[in-house]
Amino acid sequence: MQAADVPAAPEPMRLYFLDSVRTLCMLLIIPYHAAHIYETEKDWWVHSPQNSWLFDLIITLQRSFCMSAFFIVAGFFSALVIENRGLRDWSSSRISRLLVPLVVSLLTVQIWQMVIAANLEGNGAFWPFWESYLAERGRINIFHLWFIPCLIFQSLVLGLIVARFGTRPFVWNGTYRRSILLLVAANLLLFVLARNLPKLLKTDLFLMWGLIDLQKNIFYLVPFLLGAKLFWDRGFRDAFLRLSKWSMGTALVTYALVTIFQHSDGFPGKPIRDISLPIAAICISQTLIALAYKFLRGPNMLTKHLSEPSYSLYLLHHPIVMVAGIAFLGINMNIFAEYGIIVAAGFVIPYLAHRYLIAPWPLMSFLFNGKPFRKRESRAGRALT
């Protein structure tokens, strides 16, 4: 595989339904970022004079579950690799799988994005704009690349827990409902804590000039550890993979509340939204994974065609969406047609880049996807097998 969290399991052991969820979550980020161009709040780098509340709904829906579901799957596969290969081998794989693509992306994709942002906000003055940005905020903006340092942080926490306590913290006695309620409560508490820490500390939660976003690390810690529990706690996993009317109902109610109060900054709207969002994240993620388990347990289009390039699509799509959005600023076209073209560009161009520039070349696959070098078989060798 393929996406960023772990190397692929051997084909006979491949968990297609989790593979599908992971791929879907990474691909949904493309329409998510494109929707920001047309949101009513105009809270992104590129914003069109046209807007629609429908794009606010797209953004709210994906904020409600997309990255939480991704981190649950990442935690599961991390636990799987630790179990199969041992903690030391798993730790070394994090360097190639996460750290190498992060460094390469910061030196390529990040610089491209910074140039685009400087042209948008700083009239093309690259260094003066970012020098002023750094002086004002004490950090730079690494855009969508935040998820890689976040995965590194979550992996560090998981590794420390397993090294010190083994897998015991992930298997405890109690009913499934009690366990899931405790996890939802923990997710809620950490979410509220992360939201309010900047006010309490009177500073933001960025480290290393913006490379590490502690707020997002706190947001997604429980989903990642929940994924590890899914692997090590068989009874919990069996219950989690069943569709639950209670979970689906809670997901619908909390998502509705998040949507209704998405732009509220006062009381009671903001507290209701902040309480509902972390609950929705777990419940919608559980429903999505259970649906995938029911319907996508075998090979399917996602795993066959899109799983392998999904990491590249995530890394490369963001500046393409920005450029495509800028290109449409001076064009009078139907807002939904524009959006569809931008999403298509954000998908097709990175896909072609992966297929023809990254996947065929071991060095490029290592640099952008963290895949270890493998000796190429000769045609004769393949024929013999």
Side-chain angles (χ1 to χ4, degrees):
M1 196 130 156
Q2 298 130 342
D5 43 325
V6 295
E11 188 67 22
M13 298 176 60
R14 190 168 182 182
L15 300 170
Y16 286 99
F17 73 100
L18 289 178
D19 217 354
S20 299
V21 172
R22 176 168 53 183
T23 302
L24 178 65
C25 290
M26 296 195 82
L27 295 181
L28 283 175
I29 294 299
I30 300 174
Y32 168 77
H33 283 136
H36 280 286
I37 299 171
Y38 303 101
E39 66 178 331
T40 57
E41 289 291 288
K42 300 190 181 299
D43 192 30
W44 205 55
W45 292 93
V46 183
H47 40 82
S48 170
Q50 303 182 84
N51 60 73
S52 170
W53 59 269
L54 290 173
F55 295 102
D56 294 353
L57 289 182
I58 294 173
I59 292 169
T60 303
L61 176 61
Q62 296 194 204
R63 278 180 177 166
S64 298
F65 79 93
C66 195
M67 294 310 295
S68 293
F70 172 83
F71 278 100
I72 290 173
V73 177
F76 180 94
F77 278 109
S78 292
L80 183 150
V81 176
I82 291 173
E83 188 72 20
N84 289 343
R85 300 186 185 179
L87 191 58
R88 179 174 297 181
D89 284 352
W90 173 78
S91 301
S92 64
S93 74
R94 301 298 80 200
I95 296 175
S96 64
R97 201 68 174 136
L98 298 175
L99 191 58
V100 171
L102 173 63
V103 172
V104 172
S105 296
L106 288 174
L107 296 175
T108 54
V109 177
Q110 173 66 12
I111 292 176
W112 184 13
Q113 295 178 138
M114 292 175 72
V115 170
I116 297 169
N119 277 278
L120 283 169
E121 304 290 338
N123 297 317
F126 177 83
W127 181 247
F129 170 74
W130 284 105
E131 186 177 38
S132 172
Y133 190 99
L134 182 62
E136 179 182 345
R137 307 193 185 195
R139 61 180 176 88
I140 61 170
N141 189 324
I142 64 169
F143 305 92
H144 67 303
L145 299 178
W146 65 266
F147 99 101
I148 306 180
C150 193
L151 265 178
I152 294 172
F153 174 84
Q154 316 291 15
S155 298
L156 178 62
V157 172
L158 178 62
L160 290 173
I161 292 174
V162 174
R164 178 64 180 86
F165 303 104
T167 62
R168 293 189 306 277
F170 300 95
V171 183
W172 62 74
N173 294 326
T175 64
Y176 168 75
R177 179 158 294 186
R178 179 185 177 188
S179 298
I180 198 69
L181 285 174
L182 286 172
L183 288 164
V184 169
N187 200 41
L188 173 60
L189 288 174
L190 288 181
F191 184 88
V192 173
L193 175 66
R195 275 291 176 92
N196 291 282
L197 267 181
K199 295 179 182 178
L200 294 174
L201 300 177
K202 297 182 179 179
T203 183
D204 58 30
L205 297 178
F206 291 94
L207 302 176
M208 297 179 64
W209 302 284
L211 187 62
I212 298 175
D213 185 344
L214 283 181
Q215 193 172 55
K216 285 189 171 68
N217 285 322
I218 296 171
F219 283 170
Y220 297 113
L221 180 60
V222 170
F224 187 83
L225 297 179
L226 189 158
K229 179 175 175 60
L230 274 178
F231 177 79
W232 277 310
D233 190 335
R234 178 63 183 268
F236 180 83
R237 180 167 75 248
D238 290 343
F240 190 89
L241 295 179
R242 290 196 294 266
L243 286 170
S244 163
K245 293 180 181 179
W246 175 85
S247 184
M248 288 189 287
T250 305
L252 286 173
V253 171
T254 51
Y255 171 67
L257 291 173
V258 171
T259 302
I260 291 168
F261 297 108
Q262 60 182 315
H263 298 311
S264 177
D265 291 323
F267 183 87
K270 187 176 183 297
I272 292 174
R273 183 189 67 229
D274 288 351
I275 291 172
S276 299
L277 186 57
I279 299 173
I282 300 297
C283 293
I284 297 176
S285 297
Q286 186 275 329
T287 302
L288 175 65
I289 293 171
L291 285 169
Y293 180 72
K294 185 173 183 178
F295 296 108
L296 298 174
R297 273 188 274 183
N300 55 76
M301 187 187 72
L302 281 173
T303 56
K304 184 177 180 181
H305 299 292
L306 300 176
S307 182
E308 181 184 358
S310 62
Y311 199 175
S312 298
L313 264 65
Y314 185 94
L315 293 178
L316 301 177
H317 81 277
H318 195 269
I320 293 169
V321 169
M322 294 174 76
V323 170
I326 294 169
F328 277 107
L329 291 180
I331 299 176
N332 186 18
M333 183 183 289
N334 178 273
I335 185 173
F336 299 104
E338 286 186 12
Y339 175 72
I341 294 171
I342 292 171
V343 171
F347 174 83
V348 172
I349 296 174
Y351 178 84
L352 294 175
H354 174 84
R355 182 170 181 180
Y356 295 107
L357 300 178
I358 296 175
W361 310 103
L363 177 60
M364 294 292 287
S365 293
F366 173 70
L367 293 176
F368 282 95
N369 292 171
K371 291 186 176 181
F373 286 97
R374 291 186 177 90
K375 293 182 180 179
R376 290 187 175 182
E377 292 182 293
S378 65
R379 291 186 179 179
R382 289 197 297 269
L384 288 172
T385 58

